[in-house]
Amino acid sequence: MGKTTQRDQASGHSRRKLLRAGALLVLGGAVTPLTGCDLFDRDDQPPPPPDPLRPMVDESLTLAAAYQSSATAHPELAARLNPIAEAHTAHARELARVLGVALPSTAPAAPTTAPAANPAGALAALRALEKTAQQSATAACAAAPAERAALLGSIVAARATHQEALK
């Protein structure tokens, strides 16, 4: 026992070294599949917060729905309101593309208030919505990184233009 043969000395490998290497290979093979299951990979970092521009997507879709609702209630305004509704939908699509999110597959919830009974009231209500939306887009633009400022600036400008188109 404990004696090595001449053959073992020539190669420099002892039986003990070979058994140890084999055991490590077996253990390594058993541990490797477990690492793929996150058993040993404990990442206690919280998920990143949602993108602050995500509400802009919903806001644009809500504006589009408000315009569509008013156009349905007042067909005489449809030619005037439908292009603005389409612009808000395009803004939502572009914001979603930039953020890397999908647009909701369902239409946004209907506006909380029904369109005004008369066309003038409907236009005034849409102007008020546009003014509020322009203010939120302006705040988002001021806080956004440079690569998003141009898109947000164009949305702010469009919302200002929509207010004028509704007069």
Side-chain angles (χ1 to χ4, degrees):
M1 289 196 135
K3 294 186 177 185
T4 57
T5 63
Q6 204 165 9
R7 182 174 167 190
D8 289 336
Q9 288 177 348
S11 67
H13 299 294
S14 69
R15 190 176 309 157
R16 189 172 288 161
K17 282 183 181 178
L18 290 173
L19 287 173
R20 206 177 284 149
L24 287 174
L25 285 174
V26 169
L27 285 175
V31 171
T32 301
L34 294 177
T35 60
C37 297
D38 291 338
L39 181 64
F40 297 114
D41 189 19
R42 293 266 176 176
D43 188 13
D44 293 335
Q45 296 291 328
D51 195 299
L53 295 184
R54 180 64 178 100
M56 293 281 302
V57 175
D58 297 330
E59 183 180 59
S60 293
L61 291 173
T62 300
L63 284 167
Y67 277 91
Q68 291 165 349
S69 177
S70 291
T72 301
H74 304 288
E76 66 275 16
L77 296 177
R80 192 171 171 189
L81 300 181
N82 286 335
I84 299 174
E86 291 169 11
H88 285 300
T89 302
H91 294 159
R93 268 195 305 272
E94 185 60 16
L95 283 164
R97 185 193 66 75
V98 167
L99 298 175
V101 299
L103 281 179
S105 58
T106 59
T112 55
T113 58
N118 61 23
L123 293 175
L126 290 172
R127 267 194 314 275
L129 284 175
E130 283 287 356
K131 184 173 184 169
T132 302
Q134 180 191 9
Q135 291 168 346
S136 69
T138 300
C141 183
E147 65 270 7
R148 293 179 175 176
L151 171 61
L152 291 169
S154 68
I155 291 173
V156 170
R159 290 177 180 179
T161 302
H162 297 161
Q163 289 175 58
E164 292 300 313
L166 295 171
K167 287 185 178 179

